[in-house]
Amino acid sequence: MTLLEFARGPALQASALIMIAGIAWRLAGILLLRRRPRYAASRHSAAGRMGRGAFLILSRLIPRPTFRPRIAVGVMLSAVFHLGLAVVVFGGAPHILLIHQATGLTWPNLPKGLVVIASGLTLAAMIALMARRLTHPVLRLLSTADDHVSWLLVFLPVLTGILLSGETIGDYGSLLTLHILSVEALMIWLPFGKLMHTVLVFAGRWTMGVNFARKGAAT
Amino acid sequence: MTPPDPTTETLGAALARHGIGRRGLLRFAMAMAASLALPPWVAPVMAANLAKAKRCPVIWLSFQNCTGCLETLLQSSRPTIDSILFDFISLDYQETLMAAAGSAAEATLRDAVAANKGGYLLAIDGSIPTRDGGVYAMTGGRSNRSMLETLAADAKAVLAIGTCAAYGGIPKAYPNPTGAVGVEDLVSGTPVVNIPGCPPVPDVLSGVLVHFISFGRLPALDDRGRPLAWFGTTIHDRCYRRAFYDQGKFAQSFDDEGARQGWCLFELGCKGPITHNACASLKWNGGTSFPIESGHGCLGCSEPEFWDAGSFYTSLSGGSPTGWRNAGIAAAVGLAGGAAAALSARRRTDTDGEEMPP
């Protein structure tokens, strides 16, 4: 068995199962958290709370005017990174093919050139975000090993993906193997670090919006 | 008319007998130099050397093989200088082609080796079984392994023709009952040129022979012992459908609109991106086409382990999905584990009187 066969076969299956089990573990833990009893009446109806929760998902995407000058660069870089990554993951033909093989879902892919441009922007934004994290005194203080490991495990698939699309450094087979293995490392890490926000981000914000609405706080 | 003496006749004289003059040989040398990625000024030197060249002794042994490699070379559709060149090499021993059999054939082999010791090319097609002392392929009471090791020691170079000879090929496929290996696994001390393919492109063999006859040495090889001129790039690099790959236009089945439009066959399992061979540039059947041009993806037949490298119809980026059942089991295990951990934490909270989360 070649390393590519290992990456496409047992390693892919094992990493997918670890990711699924890990996400289920985390979700069970969150859903079974003991919650405080609520004695006060809600300030909004059930439908109102749902709406406020949905609104908070959108409102938190845009920085508050008060903080905008300080965080605009970070938010912009983060937006470029996240949107670029979404284009790469959901627009690249090989990625759609893999998702189709795993789930049966499929959709039209984007031209390779667009995906490569999105990959380049993603990579550049990631480097800038890491540079900012390492140079900003507060961010540096707040950063943990989880932040750095999570960054690295996202960075490597994007980097190997760009190299693979260019096929300039190394042959296609080796680069494809590295790319798949790096994605598998990401899949294994995803449920256990801050990357779990890919699953929780919208549910978390929605829950926060619902709680705010119940208490009458602004969303 | 007295037949020419094969031991003294030059290639130039042999070509002249076939009505091919200096100009024709020069054209051939130009094409071959281009094919070998050599500079244009090499062509006249090559033509002059070829014209003066004497017969090149070749001993060809067929081991664990289907004879497809030899058939391909013999059925080469172009009766040009290439084929005359094959006539010109002194194929001193080839069991499939020679008239002699039994002890007469064995005597021919012994004589050919004795007469050309240290100067012959040893061509091998087929893999070499090594399990149980190599008893799974014997010729004249000797194992193929023993023959190879003995004859390779006295050869100027060994040409491993076809994927079986180069890497073990289909006989080496799981579970490899005969312990098949390629030539490079058994030969040391003598240069080995791998010309993989199932079958190999005939023009590559003629190119290697022309280079050897012209310059007295082998062409530049890559890290897998393959001639760089033909195996330096992948099928994907030279594929005429590459533009569709870059545009993200892929055929989804062999009879959909994409397939009819000639779009890229990557999603149908084409192994072109990882396959080093000259099919896309030299093509087959006298330059008519190659598998992708005929509407089927590349199988990757010139790569090591190609038979065990998964389905021909699974794309390179595609893997082996875990399946819904396994995914469900993993989710159930995760939920159970997470629930147990959460309930245990709740019990600890109750016991220790810790603060509850908001």
Side-chain angles (χ1 to χ4, degrees):
Chain A
M1 179 181 282
T2 62
L3 194 56
L4 176 59
E5 280 308 299
F6 170 74
R8 291 169 58 196
L12 182 64
Q13 293 182 355
S15 56
L17 292 177
I18 290 170
M19 184 179 74
I20 292 167
I23 290 172
W25 182 295
R26 292 289 304 272
L27 289 177
I30 292 166
L31 292 172
L32 287 173
L33 278 174
R34 196 192 293 281
R35 278 154 182 88
R36 287 179 187 277
R38 298 186 183 105
Y39 300 114
S42 173
R43 301 289 289 268
H44 289 275
S45 65
R49 291 198 299 272
M50 302 294 130
R52 297 262 168 171
F55 177 73
L56 190 101
I57 292 175
L58 297 173
S59 67
R60 290 293 168 110
L61 293 173
I62 302 159
R64 291 290 174 110
T66 318
F67 307 116
R68 203 168 285 161
R70 276 190 289 160
I71 64 171
V73 174
V75 170
M76 194 181 67
L77 287 172
S78 182
V80 170
F81 155 61
H82 280 93
L83 287 173
L85 197 60
V87 168
V88 172
V89 173
F90 298 111
H95 304 153
I96 297 170
L97 186 62
L98 189 62
I99 294 168
H100 176 61
Q101 285 172 344
T103 66
L105 299 171
T106 190
W107 54 89
N109 59 278
L110 293 169
K112 186 183 161 192
L114 276 181
V115 177
V116 171
I117 290 170
S119 304
L121 290 172
T122 305
L123 203 68
M126 287 195 77
I127 292 168
L129 283 167
M130 179 48 80
R132 186 166 177 268
R133 182 179 286 279
L134 294 175
T135 54
H136 194 286
V138 177
L139 275 178
R140 197 170 54 197
L141 198 65
L142 291 173
S143 297
T144 63
D146 186 351
D147 293 297
H148 298 297
V149 171
S150 298
W151 180 89
L152 184 67
L153 291 178
V154 176
F155 184 80
L156 288 176
V158 179
L159 178 66
T160 53
I162 287 186
L163 294 176
L164 178 60
S165 65
E167 298 169 46
T168 46
I169 301 173
D171 63 284
Y172 189 96
S174 305
L175 292 170
L176 180 63
T177 306
L178 283 176
H179 183 59
I180 295 175
L181 288 174
S182 65
V183 172
E184 286 160 357
L186 169 67
M187 287 164 69
I188 291 170
W189 176 250
L190 189 141
F192 306 110
K194 290 187 178 179
L195 291 178
M196 185 64 185
H197 79 268
T198 51
V199 178
L200 296 175
V201 61
F202 295 122
R205 284 185 180 176
W206 181 81
T207 306
M208 189 187 289
V210 169
N211 282 336
F212 282 1
R214 180 175 284 118
K215 294 173 181 176
T219 54
Chain B
M1 185 179 165
T2 314
D5 179 359
T7 58
T8 57
E9 187 187 33
T10 62
L11 178 59
L15 291 172
R17 276 196 296 114
H18 288 85
I20 296 171
R22 180 182 163 278
R23 194 177 294 272
L25 183 58
L26 195 57
R27 271 202 297 271
F28 171 74
M30 288 289 281
M32 203 47 85
S35 175
L36 281 157
L38 296 172
W41 57 263
V42 169
V45 180
M46 184 185 274
N49 287 349
L50 282 173
K52 287 185 291 187
K54 300 269 175 54
R55 280 180 181 269
C56 172
V58 175
I59 292 172
W60 186 310
L61 301 176
S62 293
F63 293 157
Q64 253 184 166
N65 74 104
C66 68
T67 317
C69 299
L70 184 63
E71 277 295 326
T72 305
L73 299 169
L74 294 177
Q75 302 297 333
S76 181
S77 59
R78 281 183 286 186
T80 58
I81 294 180
D82 303 45
S83 56
I84 296 165
L85 185 71
F86 281 118
D87 290 343
F88 184 72
I89 61 172
S90 177
L91 196 53
D92 293 336
Y93 182 88
Q94 214 302 329
E95 290 146 5
T96 310
L97 303 179
M98 64 199 297
S103 55
E106 293 307 303
T108 303
L109 179 58
R110 278 196 303 275
D111 293 347
V113 172
N116 302 290
K117 201 165 186 174
Y120 61 84
L121 288 177
L122 180 63
I124 306 290
D125 68 326
S127 63
I128 306 100
T130 58
R131 187 162 296 162
D132 301 328
V135 296
Y136 300 107
M138 310 279 285
T139 306
R142 289 175 68 191
S143 71
N144 287 171
R145 177 177 188 164
S146 162
M147 292 174 76
L148 173 66
E149 287 171 345
T150 308
L151 295 176
D154 291 329
K156 195 154 188 176
V158 183
L159 309 180
I161 298 167
T163 301
C164 296
Y167 309 125
I170 293 174
K172 194 185 173 187
Y174 180 82
N176 190 5
T178 64
V181 297
V183 170
E184 64 183 7
D185 296 317
L186 297 175
V187 173
S188 58
T190 306
V192 176
V193 181
N194 286 329
I195 307 175
C198 188
V201 179
D203 306 69
V204 175
L205 178 58
S206 55
V208 171
L209 288 173
V210 164
H211 195 284
F212 184 75
I213 293 169
S214 302
F215 305 115
R217 56 187 165 80
L218 298 167
L221 306 177
D222 70 2
D223 59 340
R224 298 303 309 253
R226 302 172 292 199
L228 256 177
W230 297 286
F231 293 92
T233 56
T234 62
I235 300 291
H236 182 63
D237 291 329
R238 302 292 178 111
C239 183
Y240 75 106
R241 299 195 191 208
R242 175 64 186 263
F244 293 115
Y245 174 88
D246 290 336
Q247 290 170 32
K249 292 180 175 174
F250 300 98
Q252 306 292 324
S253 73
F254 286 108
D255 59 354
D256 69 358
E257 185 56 25
R260 279 189 283 275
Q261 295 288 336
W263 289 0
C264 179
L265 301 169
F266 179 87
E267 295 197 2
L268 294 173
C270 180
K271 305 295 183 290
I274 59 165
T275 304
H276 297 79
N277 208 338
C279 302
S281 48
L282 294 179
K283 301 191 179 180
W284 287 85
N285 301 322
T288 305
S289 66
F290 68 113
I292 293 173
E293 207 166 347
S294 303
H296 194 284
C298 169
L299 303 182
C301 73
S302 57
E303 290 298 311
E305 323 290 343
F306 90 98
W307 198 258
D308 288 330
S311 166
F312 293 146
Y313 302 102
T314 300
S315 75
L316 281 169
S317 65
S320 313
T322 54
W324 290 110
R325 185 173 169 275
N326 290 337
I329 291 170
V333 168
L335 283 173
L343 292 173
S344 167
R346 282 173 74 146
R347 270 199 299 277
R348 275 202 310 277
T349 309
D350 293 343
T351 310
D352 302 342
E354 285 177 18
E355 186 74 11
M356 276 187 292

